């Protein structure tokens, strides 16, 4: 639950940034997906994952990532492609305020599994209260 700056190679021919697993981000990348052609102002992704971790980058345009660990809610505004937000497992996440023509790139630590999703916020709070989330302190780190 924090912003991570990425390397930035400045060049008159254009800039370059990159991400490597276990280097800039603390997990192995099992899946990459992207969200595009989002109507301006649209919102997505109100859910938590039991196991999956993510790193979200705005490759183009802008949007907000809202993270909530059951105690605290933080809004990360992403509008440059040289940083992203790390989403540990067991954190409620929403994405909103998409600009027209925005492009969100998401690196994930697990293959897609519908069973890993918690779609209901009350169920998410119950999951935390029942000790289902093994790393609550990690989610608290700024
Ligand atoms: P979902 O994660 O629910 O999107 P959002 O939270 O942004 O609304 O996924 C939307 C649909 O896409 C859902 O039917 C599952 C499917 N999907 C995959 O098949 N593979 C994937 O890697 C992802 C992220 C989604």
């Amino acid at each position: 639950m924090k912003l991570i700056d990425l390397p930035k190679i400045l060049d008159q021919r254009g800039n370059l940034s990159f991400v490597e697993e276990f280097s800039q981000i603390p997990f192995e990348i099992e899946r990459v997906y992207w969200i595009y052609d989002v109507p301006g102002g649209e919102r997505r992704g109100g859910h938590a994952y039991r196991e999956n971790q993510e790193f979200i980058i705005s490759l183009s345009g802008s949007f907000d990532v809202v993270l909530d660990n059951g105690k605290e809610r933080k809004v990360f505004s992403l509008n440059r492609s040289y940083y992203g937000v790390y989403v540990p497992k067991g954190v409620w996440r929403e994405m909103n305020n998409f600009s027209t023509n925005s492009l969100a790139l998401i690196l994930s630590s697990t293959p897609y599994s519908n069973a890993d999703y918690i779609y209901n916020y009350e169920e998410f709070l119950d999951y935390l209260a029942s000790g289902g989330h093994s790393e609550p302190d990690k989610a608290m780190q700024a």
Side-chain angles (χ1 to χ4, degrees):
M1 193 159 162
K2 62 178 177 186
L3 275 185
I4 296 177
D5 284 318
L6 299 174
K8 193 173 165 191
I9 316 295
L10 301 175
D11 193 310
Q12 288 177 345
R13 300 169 301 157
N15 300 334
L16 182 154
S17 291
F18 59 88
V19 187
E20 291 175 337
E21 56 191 13
F22 299 126
S23 180
Q24 289 81 24
I25 57 172
F27 59 84
E28 185 175 4
I29 300 165
E30 283 286 339
R31 175 168 52 112
V32 177
Y33 66 96
W34 48 98
I35 298 172
Y36 53 97
D37 290 348
V38 181
E42 193 55 81
R43 58 177 55 232
R44 300 191 58 116
H47 53 66
Y49 304 111
R50 293 178 174 83
E51 289 301 326
N52 189 40
Q53 304 168 65
E54 287 185 333
F55 185 64
I56 305 175
I57 309 167
S58 170
L59 289 185
S60 182
S62 63
F63 54 87
D64 293 342
V65 180
V66 182
L67 299 183
D68 179 334
N69 62 8
K71 296 175 185 156
E72 192 186 350
R73 187 165 268 242
K74 286 189 180 177
V75 180
F76 298 88
S77 295
L78 302 184
N79 57 16
R80 306 295 294 175
S81 59
Y82 51 80
Y83 58 80
V85 65
Y86 171 58
V87 186
K89 64 181 177 179
V91 171
W92 186 262
R93 86 135 169 78
E94 298 169 10
M95 297 168 71
N96 57 37
N97 270 335
F98 281 90
S99 68
T100 305
N101 291 330
S102 55
L103 173 59
L105 182 74
I106 296 112
L107 312 179
S108 294
S109 70
T110 65
Y112 174 73
S113 165
N114 183 255
D116 192 44
Y117 283 63
I118 303 171
Y119 280 112
N120 179 282
Y121 188 74
E122 293 304 317
E123 192 186 326
F124 165 67
L125 294 180
D126 289 345
Y127 176 72
L128 295 182
S130 69
H133 181 29
S134 56
E135 297 175 335
D137 292 339
K138 191 171 176 186
M140 284 300 289
Q141 288 165 11

